[in-house]
Amino acid sequence: MVTTKILVIGGTGWIGKFIVQASAKAGYPTFALVRELTLSNPAKSPIIQTFKSLGVNLVLGDVHDHQSLVEAIKQVDVVISCVSYLHLPDQYKIISAIKEAGNVKRFFPSEFGNDVDRANGVDEAKILFDTKAKIRRTIEAEGIPHTYVAANFFSGHFLPTFAQLGAPPTPIDKVIILGDGNPRAIFNTEEDVATYTIKAVDDPRTLNKILYIRPLSNTLSFNELVSLWEKKTGKTLERVYIPEEQVLKQIQESSFPFNMALSICHAAFVKEDHTNYEIEPSFGVEATELYHDVKYTTVDEYLNGGTPFYLNQFIAVNV
């Protein structure tokens, strides 16, 4: 029986809801910090009902209300932040509350993407990576026990279904590929990211380390991704390669959030930020090597419904 108590902040957001559910299903006493506005929001009602059905403890509070935050943190052993990229600076308030509470055994800041200490971002991606890196340095300076989760790309976002795609400006008989399509990126389902994160909560091997989620079966170049999809569907796509110079120009000329999406993809698909370094024991461990019992979803399996057309949404090519 597990006794470690886990508080998730941002638990009704994109990755947060998966983290909360994984924690509860693993048997951890699970707490979710929620605002009153969230409880009265009809769009969040299904998520809240799922939490209740799993026995999740809903704790009223707000990161902007220091006292409520401290009181929530005092109830638990581990804090996992899942705040969105728009609210990353709010984590300084969480750090302050953790220091005041004085009882937290582990803090997982909101990361779940690139390893920001080994990133080559431009434009909005650079701002994002730098913001996360500064939060890391603050956590370390304050002496807070921590784990950083580098999950790379969420399959649910970067391998969209046709329903998610809508009507992209570039027709789907073509596929947009940044650079030469050979750098390898990593794709993980949100459910698997959540499972591995919760596995790490009580694991001394992940304390003060980066937990990398790098399944070999989910490490593919964009060319390999397209070929896999073609093999599964029996369709052949016209591959439209966008040179790096054009990608950078497109980023500069795009407005938010398109420039954010393109700059993050540039880091992965052109600069190979997911895989252009080795994981050293001094700073990191790899999830699939630690937790052999987890049956993760492969990209091959995911592409039974997902597609390689994410970039078609942002770059228009003449028909």
Side-chain angles (χ1 to χ4, degrees), residues 195-196 199 287-296:
T195 296
Y196 284 122
K199 283 279 188 181
T288 63
E289 293 179 0
L290 296 183
Y291 310 117
H292 300 287
D293 57 316
V294 176
K295 172 63 174 72
Y296 65 83

Side-chain angles (χ1 to χ4, degrees), residues 172-174 226 229-230 233-239:
I172 56 176
D173 58 345
K174 308 174 191 287
V226 173
W229 193 83
E230 289 176 330
T233 62
K235 299 177 181 178
T236 300
L237 300 171
E238 178 185 340
R239 303 185 187 202

Side-chain angles (χ1 to χ4, degrees), residues 12 43 47 71 134 193 195 216:
T12 61
I47 299 172
E71 289 173 3
K134 289 175 182 175
V193 171
T195 296
L216 288 177

